[in-house]
Amino acid sequence: MRIELTLLGLTLVLALVQIMIAGSLRTRQYGGKWNRGARDETMPPLDPLPARMLRAQANLFETLPLFIGAVLAAAVAGRLGTKTEIGAWLYFLGRLVYVPLYATGIPVIRTIVWAVATLGLLLVLAGLLIG
């Protein structure tokens, strides 16, 4: 299997981990009754860490469909190559490093890492569209 598809799978695992972390932190703050309920009531603002983890998850989900589509389209089109490989590595590693940076509230480096991941996505798209 090509490394781009492996990295796509690892990115999906990362997405599940982020869902679990954000969910468990919210449940820790709001309680099990909240988690089991319909969640219709207005709750107080989240503490900083669960709020950051929820935002980090949302941030991943903004670009994840694009990454999935680009990798799968490149694979189907037979356009996997150096650009898509480097791009997939940059995207995955950038998204992986982004999580603890966001959790700890480190601002500038977090933005640089986000830009590296976005560059990775652009490289995968470039590999798909221009080879």
Side-chain angles (χ1 to χ4, degrees):
M1 179 167 47
R2 291 292 308 248
I3 190 65
E4 294 92 335
L5 296 172
T6 300
L7 291 166
L8 172 56
L10 290 172
T11 304
L12 295 175
V13 170
L14 176 63
L16 287 172
V17 168
Q18 285 191 248
I19 290 168
M20 297 307 230
I21 291 171
S24 66
L25 289 171
R26 282 184 299 165
T27 300
R28 184 181 304 161
Q29 180 176 338
Y30 293 151
K33 183 178 177 186
W34 167 83
N35 191 2
R36 292 184 301 274
R39 302 178 191 170
D40 291 331
E41 63 275 356
T42 301
M43 301 300 289
L46 285 169
D47 293 336
L49 181 59
R52 286 183 193 139
M53 294 312 298
L54 197 58
R55 289 192 304 271
Q57 174 192 323
N59 187 278
L60 172 63
F61 288 0
E62 289 174 358
T63 60
L64 184 57
L66 302 173
F67 181 66
I68 293 168
V71 169
L72 292 179
V76 168
R79 302 294 294 238
L80 296 176
T82 303
K83 282 187 188 100
T84 59
E85 185 175 335
I86 293 169
W89 272 113
L90 289 174
Y91 184 82
F92 171 70
L93 292 174
R95 296 313 314 191
L96 184 65
V97 172
Y98 185 83
V99 176
L101 291 174
Y102 208 125
T104 55
I106 299 172
V108 176
I109 297 170
R110 182 189 81 220
T111 302
I112 294 167
V113 168
W114 175 89
V116 167
T118 302
L119 174 63
L121 174 58
L122 293 172
L123 278 173
V124 174
L125 288 170
L128 167 64
L129 298 174
I130 59 178

